[in-house]
Amino acid sequence: MAPLDLAQHRVQRHFADHRALSPDGAIEFAPSGPAERQAFEQLRARGVIRQTSPAHFWFDLDRMGRQRPRRRDPRLAIAAGAGIVLIWLALMLYWT
């Protein structure tokens, strides 16, 4: 896990542990180091961490879910392609 990913996970975990998942549950937050500050600022820029009043923030789960990139596993495409080829070969051998 990259240092920035780890810092982002720690920031997200902090908000989840304190149940700061709505404007009513906003908490004060001060990043503990430069990596956490960078992760925190990135999450704020994406609108995932939102501010209710000075130094009070909450974590917007809905925005996080919408912005999370969907990564496809290339092994799935390879397996599907190999399956199609095997089916085609089996049919060709059956018909000859």
Side-chain angles (χ1 to χ4, degrees):
M1 194 175 246
L4 188 57
D5 291 338
L6 184 60
Q8 184 174 347
H9 177 73
R10 283 196 308 259
V11 170
Q12 292 173 3
R13 185 70 186 185
H14 180 81
F15 281 90
D17 288 347
H18 289 88
R19 291 179 176 76
L21 304 175
S22 69
D24 294 336
I27 60 170
E28 288 187 63
F29 181 75
S32 64
E36 277 191 19
R37 172 152 310 279
Q38 184 180 4
F40 176 74
E41 292 301 328
Q42 284 181 353
L43 289 169
R44 278 193 69 197
R46 290 177 22 210
V48 174
I49 292 182
R50 303 175 76 180
Q51 186 171 3
T52 58
S53 61
H56 284 77
F57 303 95
W58 63 284
F59 192 86
D60 190 346
L61 287 174
D62 291 334
R63 278 216 175 151
M64 183 66 179
R66 279 186 262 135
Q67 293 181 358
R68 181 167 293 177
R70 305 259 185 233
R71 295 182 187 162
R72 292 191 179 182
D73 191 356
R75 294 178 293 181
L76 180 62
I78 292 169
I84 291 170
V85 168
L86 288 174
I87 290 171
W88 181 77
L89 283 173
L91 290 173
M92 295 310 282
L93 288 174
Y94 179 74
W95 285 334
T96 55

